[in-house]
Amino acid sequence: MPPLRFLALLAGLLASSRAGSTPLVGIVGGRKARPLEFPFLASLQSQGRHFCGGALIHTSFVLTAASCFRNLNPGVATVVLGAYDLRRREPSRQTFSIRSISENRYDPQENLNDLLLLQLEREANLTSNVALLPLPPQNAVVVAGTGCQVAGWGNRRNGGRLSRFPRVVNVTVTPEDQCRPNNLCTGVLTRRGGICHGDGGTPLVCNGLGHGVASFSPNPCGKGPDFFTRVALFREWIDSVLNGPAQGLA
């Protein structure tokens, strides 16, 4: 993407985010993920329909975006692990209700601190289909130009349908001056690609670590940049929740 067009898109996106962006509810471009390629992926569902993604980071906790629950009571949502084909009831699936939620000063107007920990009703059973995604240490930095991956069941185009299978796209981290301090931004600079509706909360994986949580993106989908919550800024808080006392939903 030419630099001037990229900066114009970024300026428009930052302006829209201040007014409150629409939360992501798919991957544009990329390819169909292989079975077992992303065993940490979680499908957040309401009445059996996928609406956001997430990542299993502990046998009892899934990391996702707070914006996924901006207009939805977490008490009616379910977390599905071990899924691949959303149209089939695969024997590999494990389904959970949500025991509690934890957020850290989420600001929906500015899309800041868009991070949420979902405590599952019971521990997940780790298998070849269900695995943990390791996280970076506190304040770890991902340098511009780093290649990362993002996968999810979201729409393959703006206004399209949710994907039946998870799709994955290779993305590149943009320079800090083309993002915001609390975010990681990515783009697919040679063609159209990126996250779309249904990919909110899905992880950004760089060098095998979950460095980002999909937060918001401009429309139309796939014309980036895409904004991810920077997980490394919250690692100490995440650990405090994982090691803290159990809580219940209010």
Side-chain angles (χ1 to χ4, degrees), residues 141-148 172-176 184:
V141 175
V142 184
V143 299
T146 299
C148 305
T172 302
V173 174
T174 65
E176 289 184 6
L184 275 175

Side-chain angles (χ1 to χ4, degrees), residues 3 12 38 160 177 188 227:
F38 299 97
D177 61 357
V188 181
F227 281 64

Side-chain angles (χ1 to χ4, degrees), residues 15 18 23 48 54 74 79 85 91 112 135 141 170 177 179 216 232:
R18 297 188 188 100
V79 177
D85 183 348
L112 294 175
L135 302 181
V141 175
N170 295 326
D177 61 357
C179 193
F216 64 98

Side-chain angles (χ1 to χ4, degrees), residues 1-247:
M1 180 181 295
L4 289 178
R5 176 169 175 163
F6 181 89
L7 291 175
L9 279 169
L10 179 63
L13 176 57
L14 290 176
S16 67
S17 72
R18 297 188 188 100
S21 299
T22 301
L24 296 172
V25 287
I27 297 294
V28 176
R31 60 171 175 81
K32 178 181 175 182
R34 298 183 297 272
L36 308 182
E37 188 175 4
F38 299 97
F40 49 78
L41 278 184
S43 170
L44 308 188
Q45 301 185 2
S46 176
Q47 297 181 334
R49 179 174 173 81
H50 172 92
F51 66 89
C52 264
L56 186 69
I57 61 168
H58 179 281
T59 53
S60 296
F61 287 90
V62 164
L63 182 65
T64 187
S67 54
C68 289
F69 291 91
R70 189 183 299 176
N71 300 308
L72 180 69
N73 181 349
V76 301
T78 56
V79 177
V80 180
L81 302 174
Y84 181 66
D85 183 348
L86 291 185
R87 298 183 190 175
R88 293 183 56 222
R89 293 289 182 181
E90 301 138 313
S92 59
R93 287 194 186 192
Q94 300 177 39
T95 303
F96 306 81
S97 60
I98 298 171
R99 180 174 183 176
S100 71
I101 62 172
S102 300
E103 65 176 55
N104 191 342
R105 303 188 307 274
Y106 169 53
D107 181 348
Q109 297 303 314
E110 297 288 337
N111 276 318
L112 294 175
N113 310 322
D114 190 7
L115 203 72
L116 194 69
L117 282 170
L118 306 177
Q119 184 179 14
L120 307 177
E121 59 173 314
R122 66 185 190 280
E123 288 192 2
N125 180 28
L126 300 183
T127 67
S128 59
N129 298 89
V130 177
L132 304 181
L133 175 64
L135 302 181
Q138 180 73 23
N139 297 325
V141 175
V142 184
V143 299
T146 299
C148 305
Q149 287 186 315
V150 59
W153 287 276
N155 299 0
R156 296 176 60 178
R157 61 181 176 82
N158 201 53
R161 299 174 59 185
L162 292 172
S163 176
R164 177 175 178 174
F165 304 96
R167 296 185 63 81
V168 56
V169 64
N170 295 326
V171 297
T172 302
V173 174
T174 65
E176 289 184 6
D177 61 357
Q178 297 171 0
C179 193
R180 302 193 304 180
N182 289 352
N183 290 106
L184 275 175
C185 293
T186 66
V188 181
L189 303 182
T190 58
R191 57 183 173 79
R192 185 172 176 179
I195 55 179
C196 195
H197 305 290
D199 286 324
T202 205
L204 176 70
V205 182
C206 308
N207 300 318
L209 302 177
H211 273 279
V213 171
S215 179
F216 64 98
S217 179
N219 285 321
C221 300
K223 288 195 173 181
D226 295 328
F227 281 64
F228 295 79
T229 303
R230 189 178 159 200
V231 172
L233 296 179
F234 300 88
R235 179 59 194 270
E236 292 178 355
W237 170 78
I238 290 171
D239 287 345
S240 72
V241 174
L242 301 188
N243 298 321
Q247 300 177 350

